[in-house]
Coordinates of all heavy atoms in Angstrom, one line a residue:
V1 N 0.9 -1.2 0.0 CA 0.0 0.0 0.0 C 0.9 1.2 0.0 O 1.9 1.3 0.8 CB -0.9 0.0 1.2 CG1 -1.8 1.3 1.3 CG2 -1.8 -1.2 1.2
L2 N 0.6 2.2 -0.9 CA 1.4 3.4 -1.0 C 0.5 4.6 -0.7 O -0.7 4.7 -1.1 CB 1.8 3.5 -2.5 CG 2.6 4.8 -2.9 CD1 3.9 4.9 -2.1 CD2 2.8 4.8 -4.4
N3 N 1.1 5.5 0.1 CA 0.4 6.8 0.3 C 0.4 7.6 -1.0 O 1.5 8.1 -1.4 CB 1.1 7.5 1.5 CG 0.5 8.8 1.8 OD1 -0.4 9.3 1.1 ND2 0.9 9.4 2.9
A4 N -0.7 7.8 -1.6 CA -0.8 8.4 -2.9 C -0.4 9.9 -2.8 O 0.0 10.5 -3.8 CB -2.2 8.3 -3.5
E5 N -0.4 10.5 -1.6 CA 0.1 11.8 -1.4 C 1.6 12.0 -1.7 O 2.0 13.1 -2.0 CB -0.2 12.3 0.0 CG -1.6 12.2 0.5 CD -2.5 13.3 0.0 OE1 -2.0 14.3 -0.4 OE2 -3.7 13.1 0.0
L6 N 2.3 10.9 -1.7 CA 3.8 10.9 -1.9 C 4.2 10.8 -3.4 O 5.4 11.0 -3.6 CB 4.4 9.8 -1.1 CG 4.2 9.9 0.4 CD1 4.9 8.7 1.1 CD2 4.7 11.2 1.0
I7 N 3.3 10.6 -4.3 CA 3.6 10.4 -5.7 C 4.0 11.8 -6.3 O 3.2 12.7 -6.3 CB 2.5 9.8 -6.5 CG1 2.2 8.4 -5.9 CG2 2.8 9.7 -8.0 CD1 1.0 7.7 -6.5
R8 N 5.2 11.8 -6.9 CA 5.6 13.0 -7.6 C 5.2 12.8 -9.1 O 4.6 13.7 -9.7 CB 7.1 13.2 -7.5 CG 7.6 14.4 -8.4 CD 9.1 14.6 -8.3 NE 9.3 15.8 -7.5 CZ 10.5 16.1 -7.0 NH1 11.5 15.3 -7.2 NH2 10.6 17.2 -6.3
Y9 N 5.6 11.7 -9.7 CA 5.2 11.4 -11.1 C 5.2 9.9 -11.4 O 5.9 9.2 -10.6 CB 5.9 12.2 -12.1 CG 7.4 12.1 -12.1 CD1 8.0 11.1 -12.9 CD2 8.2 13.0 -11.4 CE1 9.4 11.0 -12.9 CE2 9.6 12.9 -11.4 CZ 10.2 11.9 -12.2 OH 11.5 11.8 -12.2
V10 N 4.5 9.5 -12.4 CA 4.5 8.1 -12.9 C 4.9 8.1 -14.3 O 4.5 8.9 -15.1 CB 3.0 7.6 -12.7 CG1 2.9 6.1 -13.1 CG2 2.5 7.7 -11.3
E11 N 5.7 7.1 -14.7 CA 6.1 7.0 -16.1 C 6.2 5.5 -16.5 O 6.3 4.6 -15.6 CB 7.4 7.6 -16.3 CG 8.5 7.1 -15.4 CD 9.8 8.0 -15.5 OE1 10.2 8.4 -16.6 OE2 10.4 8.2 -14.4
T12 N 6.1 5.2 -17.8 CA 6.2 3.9 -18.3 C 7.5 3.8 -19.2 O 7.7 4.7 -20.0 CB 5.0 3.6 -19.2 OG1 3.8 3.7 -18.4 CG2 5.1 2.2 -19.8
R13 N 8.3 2.8 -18.9 CA 9.6 2.7 -19.6 C 10.1 1.3 -19.7 O 11.2 1.1 -19.3 CB 10.7 3.6 -19.0 CG 10.4 4.3 -17.8 CD 11.6 5.0 -17.2 NE 11.8 6.3 -17.7 CZ 12.9 6.9 -17.7 NH1 14.0 6.3 -17.3 NH2 13.0 8.2 -18.0
P14 N 9.7 0.2 -20.2 CA 8.2 -0.1 -20.4 C 7.5 -0.5 -19.1 O 6.3 -0.4 -19.1 CB 8.3 -1.3 -21.3 CG 9.5 -2.0 -21.0 CD 10.5 -0.9 -20.6
D15 N 8.2 -0.8 -18.0 CA 7.6 -1.0 -16.7 C 7.1 0.3 -16.2 O 7.5 1.3 -16.6 CB 8.5 -1.7 -15.7 CG 8.9 -3.1 -16.1 OD1 8.1 -3.8 -16.6 OD2 10.1 -3.5 -15.9
T16 N 6.2 0.2 -15.2 CA 5.6 1.4 -14.6 C 6.5 1.8 -13.4 O 6.6 1.1 -12.5 CB 4.2 1.2 -14.2 OG1 3.4 0.8 -15.3 CG2 3.6 2.5 -13.6
F17 N 7.1 3.0 -13.5 CA 7.9 3.6 -12.4 C 7.1 4.7 -11.7 O 6.6 5.5 -12.4 CB 9.2 4.2 -13.0 CG 10.2 3.2 -13.4 CD1 10.2 2.5 -14.6 CD2 11.3 2.9 -12.5 CE1 11.1 1.5 -14.9 CE2 12.3 2.0 -12.9 CZ 12.2 1.3 -14.1
I18 N 7.2 4.6 -10.4 CA 6.6 5.7 -9.6 C 7.7 6.4 -8.9 O 8.5 5.7 -8.2 CB 5.6 5.1 -8.6 CG1 4.4 4.4 -9.3 CG2 5.0 6.3 -7.7 CD1 3.5 3.6 -8.4
T19 N 7.8 7.7 -9.1 CA 8.8 8.5 -8.4 C 8.1 9.2 -7.3 O 7.1 9.9 -7.5 CB 9.6 9.4 -9.3 OG1 10.2 8.7 -10.3 CG2 10.6 10.2 -8.5
L20 N 8.6 9.1 -6.0 CA 8.0 9.7 -4.9 C 8.6 11.1 -4.7 O 9.7 11.4 -5.2 CB 8.2 8.9 -3.6 CG 7.7 7.4 -3.8 CD1 7.9 6.7 -2.5 CD2 6.2 7.4 -4.2
I21 N 8.0 11.9 -3.8 CA 8.5 13.3 -3.6 C 9.9 13.3 -3.0 O 10.6 14.3 -3.1 CB 7.5 14.1 -2.8 CG1 7.2 13.5 -1.4 CG2 6.2 14.3 -3.6 CD1 6.3 14.3 -0.5
N22 N 10.3 12.2 -2.3 CA 11.6 12.1 -1.7 C 12.6 11.6 -2.6 O 13.8 11.4 -2.2 CB 11.5 11.3 -0.4 CG 11.2 9.8 -0.6 OD1 11.1 9.4 -1.8 ND2 11.2 9.1 0.4
G23 N 12.2 11.3 -3.9 CA 13.2 10.8 -4.9 C 13.2 9.3 -5.0 O 13.8 8.7 -6.0
E24 N 12.6 8.6 -4.1 CA 12.6 7.1 -4.1 C 11.8 6.7 -5.4 O 10.8 7.3 -5.7 CB 12.0 6.5 -2.9 CG 11.9 5.0 -2.8 CD 11.3 4.5 -1.5 OE1 11.1 5.3 -0.6 OE2 11.0 3.3 -1.5
R25 N 12.2 5.6 -6.0 CA 11.5 5.1 -7.2 C 11.0 3.7 -6.9 O 11.7 2.9 -6.4 CB 12.4 5.1 -8.4 CG 12.8 6.5 -8.8 CD 13.6 6.5 -10.0 NE 12.8 6.3 -11.2 CZ 13.2 6.2 -12.4 NH1 14.5 6.2 -12.6 NH2 12.4 6.0 -13.4
L26 N 9.8 3.4 -7.3 CA 9.2 2.1 -7.2 C 8.8 1.6 -8.6 O 8.4 2.4 -9.5 CB 7.9 2.2 -6.3 CG 8.1 2.8 -4.9 CD1 6.7 3.0 -4.3 CD2 8.9 1.9 -4.1
V27 N 8.9 0.3 -8.8 CA 8.4 -0.3 -10.0 C 7.3 -1.2 -9.7 O 7.3 -2.0 -8.8 CB 9.5 -1.1 -10.7 CG1 9.1 -1.7 -12.1 CG2 10.8 -0.3 -10.8
V28 N 6.1 -1.1 -10.4 CA 4.9 -1.8 -10.1 C 4.4 -2.5 -11.4 O 4.7 -2.2 -12.5 CB 3.8 -0.9 -9.5 CG1 4.3 -0.3 -8.2 CG2 3.4 0.2 -10.5
N29 N 3.5 -3.6 -11.1 CA 2.9 -4.3 -12.2 C 1.8 -3.5 -12.9 O 1.5 -3.7 -14.1 CB 2.3 -5.6 -11.6 CG 3.3 -6.7 -11.5 OD1 4.3 -6.8 -12.2 ND2 3.0 -7.7 -10.6
E30 N 1.1 -2.6 -12.1 CA 0.0 -1.9 -12.7 C 0.5 -0.9 -13.8 O 1.6 -0.5 -13.8 CB -0.7 -1.1 -11.6 CG -1.5 -1.9 -10.6 CD -0.6 -2.6 -9.6 OE1 0.6 -2.3 -9.5 OE2 -1.1 -3.5 -8.9
T31 N -0.4 -0.7 -14.7 CA -0.1 0.3 -15.8 C -0.1 1.7 -15.2 O -0.6 1.9 -14.1 CB -1.1 0.2 -16.9 OG1 -2.4 0.7 -16.4 CG2 -1.2 -1.2 -17.5
M32 N 0.4 2.6 -16.0 CA 0.4 4.0 -15.6 C -1.0 4.5 -15.4 O -1.3 5.2 -14.4 CB 1.1 4.9 -16.6 CG 1.2 6.4 -16.2 SD 2.3 7.4 -17.2 CE 1.7 7.0 -18.9
D33 N -1.9 4.1 -16.3 CA -3.3 4.5 -16.2 C -4.0 4.0 -14.9 O -4.8 4.7 -14.3 CB -4.1 4.1 -17.4 CG -3.7 5.0 -18.6 OD1 -3.2 6.1 -18.5 OD2 -4.0 4.5 -19.8
E34 N -3.7 2.7 -14.5 CA -4.2 2.1 -13.3 C -3.7 2.9 -12.1 O -4.5 3.2 -11.2 CB -3.8 0.7 -13.2 CG -4.5 -0.2 -14.2 CD -4.0 -1.6 -14.2 OE1 -2.8 -1.8 -14.1 OE2 -4.8 -2.6 -14.4
V35 N -2.5 3.2 -12.0 CA -1.9 4.0 -10.9 C -2.6 5.3 -10.8 O -3.1 5.8 -9.7 CB -0.4 4.2 -11.0 CG1 0.1 5.1 -9.9 CG2 0.3 2.8 -11.0
I36 N -2.8 6.0 -11.9 CA -3.4 7.3 -12.0 C -4.9 7.2 -11.5 O -5.3 8.0 -10.7 CB -3.3 8.0 -13.4 CG1 -1.9 8.3 -13.7 CG2 -4.2 9.2 -13.5 CD1 -1.7 8.7 -15.2
D37 N -5.6 6.2 -12.0 CA -7.0 6.0 -11.6 C -7.1 5.8 -10.1 O -8.0 6.3 -9.5 CB -7.6 4.8 -12.4 CG -7.9 5.1 -13.9 OD1 -7.8 6.3 -14.2 OD2 -8.1 4.2 -14.6
R38 N -6.2 5.0 -9.6 CA -6.3 4.7 -8.1 C -6.0 5.9 -7.3 O -6.6 6.2 -6.3 CB -5.4 3.5 -7.8 CG -5.8 2.2 -8.3 CD -4.9 1.1 -8.1 NE -5.3 -0.1 -8.9 CZ -4.7 -1.3 -8.8 NH1 -3.8 -1.5 -7.9 NH2 -5.1 -2.2 -9.6
A39 N -5.0 6.7 -7.7 CA -4.6 7.9 -7.0 C -5.7 8.9 -7.1 O -6.0 9.6 -6.1 CB -3.3 8.5 -7.6
V40 N -6.3 9.1 -8.2 CA -7.4 10.0 -8.4 C -8.6 9.6 -7.5 O -9.2 10.4 -6.8 CB -7.9 10.2 -9.9 CG1 -9.2 10.9 -10.0 CG2 -6.8 10.9 -10.6
H41 N -8.9 8.3 -7.6 CA -10.0 7.8 -6.8 C -9.8 8.0 -5.3 O -10.7 8.4 -4.5 CB -10.2 6.3 -7.1 CG -11.4 5.7 -6.3 ND1 -11.2 4.9 -5.2 CD2 -12.7 5.7 -6.5 CE1 -12.4 4.5 -4.8 NE2 -13.3 5.0 -5.6
Y42 N -8.5 7.8 -4.9 CA -8.2 8.0 -3.5 C -8.4 9.5 -3.1 O -9.0 9.8 -2.1 CB -6.7 7.7 -3.2 CG -6.1 8.3 -2.0 CD1 -6.4 7.8 -0.7 CD2 -5.3 9.4 -2.1 CE1 -5.9 8.4 0.4 CE2 -4.8 10.0 -0.9 CZ -5.1 9.5 0.3 OH -4.6 10.1 1.4
Q43 N -8.0 10.4 -3.9 CA -8.2 11.9 -3.7 C -9.7 12.2 -3.6 O -10.1 13.0 -2.8 CB -7.5 12.7 -4.8 CG -6.0 12.6 -4.7 CD -5.4 13.3 -3.5 OE1 -6.0 14.1 -2.9 NE2 -4.2 12.9 -3.2
Q44 N -10.5 11.6 -4.5 CA -11.9 11.9 -4.5 C -12.6 11.4 -3.2 O -13.4 12.0 -2.6 CB -12.6 11.3 -5.7 CG -12.2 11.9 -7.0 CD -12.7 11.2 -8.2 OE1 -12.9 10.0 -8.2 NE2 -12.8 11.9 -9.3

């Protein structure tokens, strides 16, 4: 589980990389669109 407030940006290269505001990078199975959808849903 990731605190969506910490996401700086998400990119695909071809895996999905999430860069956090502290510079840490995570690689996940979900697509960029899935990460965005979950983060937006969380905010809503």
Side-chain angles (χ1 to χ4, degrees):
V1 178
L2 174 66
N3 181 347
E5 303 282 342
L6 300 178
I7 296 174
R8 176 180 255 168
Y9 57 88
V10 181
E11 57 190 320
T12 302
R13 6 171 94 203
D15 293 324
T16 305
F17 283 80
I18 301 173
T19 302
L20 306 181
I21 58 175
N22 67 0
E24 182 180 350
R25 295 182 77 187
L26 305 169
V27 185
V28 297
N29 277 335
E30 288 76 12
T31 66
M32 182 169 52
D33 288 337
E34 289 172 321
V35 173
I36 292 168
D37 288 345
R38 291 177 192 187
V40 168
H41 183 258
Y42 162 76
Q43 292 291 339
Q44 291 171 335

